[in-house]
Amino acid sequence: MGLAQRSWALGCTAIMSVLQMAMAGNPNWMLNGKAQVLADLSAQEIQAVHSFLMSRTELDLQPSDTRALDKNSVLLIETLLPKKKDVLEFLNKETKAPVREARVIVFFSAQEHPNVTEFAVGPLPQPIYMRELSPRPAKHRSWASRPMCKAEQSLLYHKVKEATTPLRELFLHTTGFSLEDCNGQCLTFTHVAPHSVESRHRATWFLLQRIVKEHLLQPTGLEILVDHGSTDVRDWRVVQVWYNGKQYNSPEELAQKYADGEVDTMVLKDLLPKNTELPPIFNKPGGKFPTPLRKSGPHVEQANGSRYSLEGNTVIYKDWSFSFQLRPSSGLHILNVHFRNEYIAYEISVQDAVAVHREKTPAGELTKTMDLGWGLGSVTRELAPGINCPETATFLDVIHYYDTDGPVRYPRALCIFEIPTGMPVRPTFNHFAGKINFFSDVMGHKLVLRATSALYNFDYIWDFIFYSSGMISAKVHATGYVHTTIYTREGLGETHLLTHQLGHSHTHLVHYRVDLDVAGINNSFHTLQTRQKNTTNSSSPRRLVQDIMEKTQYSQERQATFSFGHTLPSFLLFSSPKKDIWGYRRSYRLKIYSTSEQSLTPETQEDLAFSWARYSLAVSKYSDSERYSTSIYNQNHPWDPPVVFEDFLQNNENIDDQDLVAWVTVGFSHGPHSEAVPYMASSRNFVGFLLLPFNFFYITEKNLSTSAADVADTGFLEAGSA
Ligand SMILES: *[C@@H]1O[C@H](CO)[C@@H](O)[C@H](O)[C@H]1NC(C)=O
Ligand SMILES: *[C@@H]1O[C@H](CO)[C@@H](O)[C@H](O)[C@H]1NC(C)=O
Ligand SMILES: *[C@@H]1O[C@H](CO)[C@@H](O)[C@H](O)[C@H]1NC(C)=O
Ligand SMILES: *[C@@H]1O[C@H](CO)[C@@H](O)[C@H](O)[C@H]1NC(C)=O
Ligand SMILES: *[C@@H]1O[C@H](CO)[C@@H](O)[C@H](O)[C@H]1NC(C)=O
Ligand SMILES: *[C@@H]1O[C@H](CO)[C@@H](O)[C@H](O)[C@H]1NC(C)=O
């Protein structure tokens, strides 16, 4: 038998035995469907909560889809996670399951002083009570800070169109396009966030743009600010108009001055090609598309079934077991992450994604999008086999209630797949023995859990990746159409992408919460930093400069903060008081990959809404009241946000052998360039972090051959002679 054939045959048995291992015993914490405690709400549960709320006549709830604002309605229904302590007790001891509850957001608009209130509704599946969930102490959720619902968006768009009717002539003359009866030459209004300016509590800037291609919007130089603070649409007003560098009080004033020949217009030239895009693959979500989407070139194939298994929202893959959630508010996160039946992390979750623009128009100056304000999970999109995930992936639907009147199925919102890492995981050559060693799975594999969020001009692709060595990685890729504003004289320093258009440098920042439980709840945090040291000691008097590792222990929250944009110590270590046989604390190392150097120092009051961005890493002691570094209210009224991350560090708690949470900020900056038109490719735009075992495994001479890396992944093959 040839060498190649032999390794293939044995490779097969190794795969079989891995499968048997995976099936042999589920991790203890998952037994008897216990992991359900962390599951997203089912359609039935959402329906039950909705019916319960509608039956409470005192709430006077109306359907969400009626085009009115002065009504009470339910914005959101999602899981309300029980306390960590209760979940752990239930999973690890024989205690009763914690009560299952839903988090509900109600807009009370049909009253003189409208408000937004959150409730816990339970117990599921047959709710009988509701309890108000208060904001953090000394904070409140203002009515102006509520997320924008579809009804408000649609009414606003209508209002803007109506208010700009006097400008029809100006639009046609300067752009050649129109808002109505446009027949392929259409204008549109898009808005920027936040939906407030300092002096006005609910006000939005709109940009008039030409739709040049399917997704490519070209600014026209007109921006208008609408005050929509009232729940009575008749009170809404255009409060500012900006055209080609000048301010006007109203569309009427601009129209009059234009008619009098007093306006310096900017006529757009038609330099862009006609719309030649291919028809989209999906006509509607969940619709049919050609399968398989076979294109030439390599693709992933999976021999003899998958090597991971799924039980509800729980995944078992080799030595890994974990649960996941995709919540309408905050998107994808993983929970209860175990490796070889030991705790690694209780939760790893996306908190927010922020884009800070610094453009030189009134709308551009203000733009600071905090995407959580749109519900990162409510904007998940369908993933296509062979395009967003390999064809071999498992695709999962999710059910959300966000700005609707019942549970809504989001088809193929999640995918899970195993792919080769593309790199050998261990040496294949043994120089000393003069032999070549082959292992069944020397290439290594990884399991990927993926979802996306599509926001305005941008798609985020969220990945959690599991390696057989015990390493996890969290990654976000971003791709999008460049956001451009009109070219102005003041904007001269910026890149001139297309005629009249400016692409702007801007920064994207993503915040993760990493609730590590390395080999148990109690952990400490220390760093190792290489430093050069002069040593003069050796048989020869020659001076040596050697690298030594310098350890720093962090005992207080304030001490364990690292400013964004500064270089981090090389080794960021979370360790358990449990020691390995050599006496080292069993640890996991955090390695942050971020490419933005721009540090966001507290400049303005509204930066309080994302004060987490000040730190690339902050370590805090776990607290049930510090589950999220921000809130869906921070976006729209950043001047007085209900959650300020900085507050978590105020009490400067002790973090020695405590339940620790690592808060990680990663970011990338975009300097626009011609290759970014019309869109920015995802391949260069990714950031994230790794969690790597560091003295986590017990390794003795006896079991060196089955060392830490890839025990389950490799089958040793008798070396052939070289
Ligand atoms: C919000 O409105 C509801 C319904 O009228 C009322 O019961 C509740 O007390 C209000 N909450 C606040 C904080 O004003
Ligand atoms: C898949 O399993 C079948 C039956 O057990 C076996 O004959 C076949 O060789 C396997 N294929 C691969 C690629 O492992
Ligand atoms: C964690 O440490 C606290 C003291 O800080 C102790 O009371 C508790 O028992 C420890 N928990 C575990 C699981 O070791
Ligand atoms: C080592 O010693 C030399 C001579 O005293 C000095 O110039 C150099 O800075 C020292 N290097 C370090 C890393 O301390
Ligand atoms: C140098 O060697 C002596 C004796 O071997 C030892 O006592 C001393 O600590 C050493 N110094 C350094 C800097 O390693
Ligand atoms: C190595 O052996 C020790 C002691 O028998 C055991 O505790 C440990 O789990 C083994 N490590 C691996 C990686 O198998």
Side-chain angles (χ1 to χ4, degrees):
M1 208 193 312
L3 195 66
Q5 262 176 314
R6 202 141 49 106
S7 64
W8 177 82
L10 279 157
C12 244
T13 18
I15 290 171
M16 301 293 280
S17 66
V18 166
L19 270 176
Q20 278 154 7
M21 270 171 69
M23 302 305 155
N26 278 354
N28 297 335
W29 68 273
M30 297 184 44
L31 292 179
N32 311 319
K34 276 180 163 185
Q36 276 297 311
V37 68
L38 299 168
D40 280 319
L41 297 185
S42 67
Q44 291 75 7
E45 286 174 319
I46 292 174
Q47 196 60 63
V49 173
H50 190 249
S51 305
F52 168 77
L53 293 166
M54 295 311 272
S55 73
R56 302 287 288 247
T57 48
E58 75 276 19
L59 298 177
D60 189 23
L61 291 169
Q62 304 290 317
S64 299
D65 69 355
T66 52
R67 223 158 139 251
L69 291 185
D70 50 356
K71 64 174 187 213
N72 296 349
S73 59
V74 181
L75 178 78
L76 168 90
I77 302 175
E78 68 174 12
T79 331
L80 180 68
L81 278 183
K83 286 202 168 84
K84 175 175 177 180
K85 188 173 137 281
D86 297 341
V87 173
L88 290 184
E89 271 189 10
F90 168 65
L91 293 178
N92 304 323
K93 297 177 196 159
E94 293 302 311
T95 55
K96 240 176 67 210
V99 177
R100 213 162 142 70
E101 291 184 322
R103 172 197 185 200
V104 169
I105 299 181
V106 177
F107 286 176
F108 287 110
S109 321
Q111 59 196 36
E112 197 190 341
H113 297 291
N115 73 45
V116 50
T117 306
E118 295 203 2
F119 297 101
V121 174
L124 296 176
Q126 291 300 327
I128 51 171
Y129 65 82
M130 58 194 297
R131 157 173 59 90
E132 196 176 324
L133 296 170
S134 321
R136 289 174 50 79
K139 297 284 174 200
H140 76 291
R141 307 174 195 109
S142 68
W143 173 236
S145 71
R146 73 195 183 280
M148 204 189 278
C149 62
K150 286 199 281 278
E152 190 180 17
Q153 282 191 58
S154 141
L155 287 165
L156 254 179
Y157 189 72
H158 185 76
K159 173 77 201 174
V160 176
K161 258 168 104 169
E162 191 187 74
T164 52
T165 31
L167 295 171
R168 238 181 237 167
E169 276 303 302
L170 171 73
F171 292 172
L172 201 58
H173 170 228
T174 57
T175 70
F177 285 33
S178 54
L179 275 169
E180 307 266 10
D181 308 322
C182 49
N183 191 26
Q185 301 201 308
C186 301
L187 294 172
T188 188
F189 277 105
T190 57
H191 52 76
V192 303
H195 298 294
S196 61
V197 291
E198 206 152 3
S199 52
R200 294 186 186 265
H201 285 178
R202 191 86 171 166
T204 301
W205 275 104
F206 284 84
L207 282 81
L208 182 74
Q209 292 171 310
R210 295 207 298 185
I211 306 176
V212 191
K213 286 180 95 185
E214 187 93 359
H215 300 284
L216 192 56
L217 299 173
Q218 191 185 28
T220 63
L222 181 86
E223 299 184 357
I224 72 173
L225 178 65
V226 182
D227 184 319
H228 50 110
S230 169
T231 51
D232 187 343
V233 177
R234 288 168 301 182
D235 296 338
W236 292 2
R237 293 280 174 273
V238 171
V239 288
Q240 226 174 311
V241 178
W242 183 91
Y243 177 69
N244 197 15
K246 289 209 175 65
Q247 301 277 359
Y248 302 86
N249 291 318
S250 65
E252 288 76 12
E253 186 192 308
L254 173 59
Q256 187 58 51
K257 290 199 163 148
Y258 170 68
D260 298 345
E262 290 169 26
V263 175
D264 184 11
T265 57
M266 173 169 31
V267 178
L268 300 186
K269 295 199 185 75
D270 232 341
L271 285 180
L272 292 161
K274 286 267 173 282
N275 191 349
T276 50
E277 275 185 18
L278 295 171
I281 284 177
F282 299 116
N283 293 320
K284 55 181 191 312
K288 288 232 178 303
F289 55 88
T291 42
L293 283 162
R294 271 290 144 77
K295 290 258 172 71
S296 53
H299 57 96
V300 179
E301 223 162 79
Q302 192 165 262
N304 283 0
S306 57
R307 301 197 289 174
Y308 55 90
S309 66
L310 259 167
E311 250 176 55
N313 66 321
T314 299
V315 181
I316 303 167
Y317 170 62
K318 296 185 176 168
D319 290 326
W320 288 105
S321 59
F322 62 93
S323 296
F324 59 84
Q325 286 194 326
L326 181 59
R327 294 206 285 175
S329 64
S330 52
L332 186 62
H333 48 256
I334 54 172
L335 292 151
N336 230 354
V337 182
H338 285 69
F339 189 75
R340 293 191 195 155
N341 246 327
E342 281 198 276
Y343 257 109
I344 307 297
Y346 181 69
E347 179 192 303
I348 305 179
S349 57
V350 178
Q351 299 288 302
D352 204 350
V354 164
V356 182
H357 292 252
R358 293 198 174 83
E359 293 156 13
K360 301 214 170 56
T361 71
E365 257 168 28
L366 192 80
T367 308
K368 283 180 184 165
T369 57
M370 291 156 238
D371 292 331
L372 185 71
W374 301 101
L376 277 178
S378 78
V379 292
T380 49
R381 291 287 182 269
E382 182 165 3
L383 301 164
I387 296 181
N388 310 92
C389 314
E391 285 162 353
T392 51
T394 304
F395 292 84
L396 300 171
D397 297 355
V398 298
I399 314 266
H400 287 330
Y401 183 109
Y402 188 87
D403 200 9
T404 55
D405 291 301
V408 174
R409 180 174 292 274
Y410 287 58
R412 286 188 287 250
L414 270 169
C415 74
I416 304 176
F417 54 90
E418 189 189 9
I419 46 166
T421 55
M423 271 292 160
V425 292
R426 42 157 73 194
T428 43
F429 311 108
N430 187 333
H431 179 72
F432 299 108
K435 284 177 179 174
I436 299 176
N437 295 323
F438 283 97
F439 299 92
S440 65
D441 213 358
V442 80
M443 283 305 284
H445 288 86
K446 56 186 180 182
L447 183 84
V448 182
L449 172 69
R450 172 173 296 170
T452 62
S453 301
L455 286 135
Y456 187 47
N457 59 327
F458 241 81
D459 287 2
Y460 291 105
I461 301 161
W462 310 104
D463 279 359
F464 288 107
I465 307 167
F466 299 82
Y467 298 81
S468 35
S469 59
M471 179 169 86
I472 319 174
S473 123
K475 243 189 195 178
V476 51
H477 286 258
T479 168
Y481 294 89
V482 270
H483 178 77
T484 56
T485 55
I486 201 75
Y487 164 83
T488 61
R489 256 176 246 290
E490 299 85 71
L492 267 176
E494 294 287 353
T495 309
H496 211 167
L497 281 180
L498 295 165
T499 317
H500 301 302
Q501 256 176 286
L502 281 179
H504 291 268
S505 50
H506 58 272
T507 305
H508 289 265
L509 297 165
V510 175
H511 202 219
Y512 285 95
R513 178 177 188 271
V514 190
D515 179 354
L516 282 159
D517 287 346
V518 177
I521 288 195
N522 287 350
N523 291 164
S524 289
F525 172 65
H526 69 272
T527 60
L528 293 176
Q529 177 76 305
T530 43
R531 205 170 56 83
Q532 288 195 326
K533 199 184 170 193
N534 282 330
T535 53
T536 45
N537 236 24
S538 79
S539 42
S540 83
R542 198 157 51 90
R543 191 165 51 81
L544 281 173
V545 180
Q546 289 183 321
D547 282 351
I548 56 150
M549 286 291 214
E550 205 170 59
K551 177 177 171 178
T552 311
Q553 189 75 39
Y554 296 78
S555 297
Q556 308 293 137
E557 287 178 339
R558 276 267 159 230
Q559 195 193 357
T561 53
F562 300 85
S563 297
F564 190 82
H566 293 211
T567 311
L568 287 161
S570 345
F571 292 84
L572 304 162
L573 296 162
F574 293 84
S575 68
S576 161
K578 293 175 191 158
K579 299 201 170 134
D580 72 2
I581 55 161
W582 309 113
Y584 293 117
R585 288 174 68 106
R586 303 181 59 201
S587 313
Y588 254 74
R589 175 186 176 195
L590 171 69
K591 178 94 186 121
I592 297 175
Y593 179 71
S594 175
T595 57
S596 174
E597 277 138 30
Q598 182 155 25
S599 58
L600 296 175
T601 44
E603 285 166 6
T604 53
Q605 175 71 16
E606 79 258 32
D607 291 350
L608 269 186
F610 49 96
S611 56
W612 48 262
R614 296 172 189 173
Y615 310 107
S616 54
L617 172 67
V619 180
S620 73
K621 184 179 160 188
Y622 178 94
S623 159
D624 276 317
S625 65
E626 295 172 2
R627 298 271 281 258
Y628 306 97
S629 62
T630 178
S631 78
I632 63 172
Y633 311 101
N634 282 31
Q635 162 79 93
N636 286 338
H637 196 49
W639 324 99
D640 182 17
V643 179
V644 177
F645 175 72
E646 192 68 36
D647 293 349
F648 298 2
L649 311 174
Q650 264 339 314
N651 51 5
N652 198 18
E653 281 173 289
N654 180 277
I655 53 169
D656 281 329
D657 286 332
Q658 300 292 338
D659 188 359
L660 300 187
V661 178
W663 304 89
V664 176
T665 305
V666 287
F668 52 93
S669 297
H670 273 140
H673 46 92
S674 61
E675 289 80 5
V677 179
Y679 58 83
M680 290 166 282
S682 65
S683 52
R684 272 166 297 144
N685 298 318
F686 71 90
V687 286
F689 61 87
L690 294 172
L691 291 169
L692 310 104
F694 192 89
N695 296 330
F696 186 75
F697 301 109
Y698 298 100
I699 298 164
T700 64
E701 280 86 349
K702 261 189 249 146
N703 54 18
L704 255 187
S705 58
T706 56
S707 78
D710 297 287
V711 174
D713 211 23
T714 54
F716 181 75
L717 186 76
E718 235 178 290
S721 43

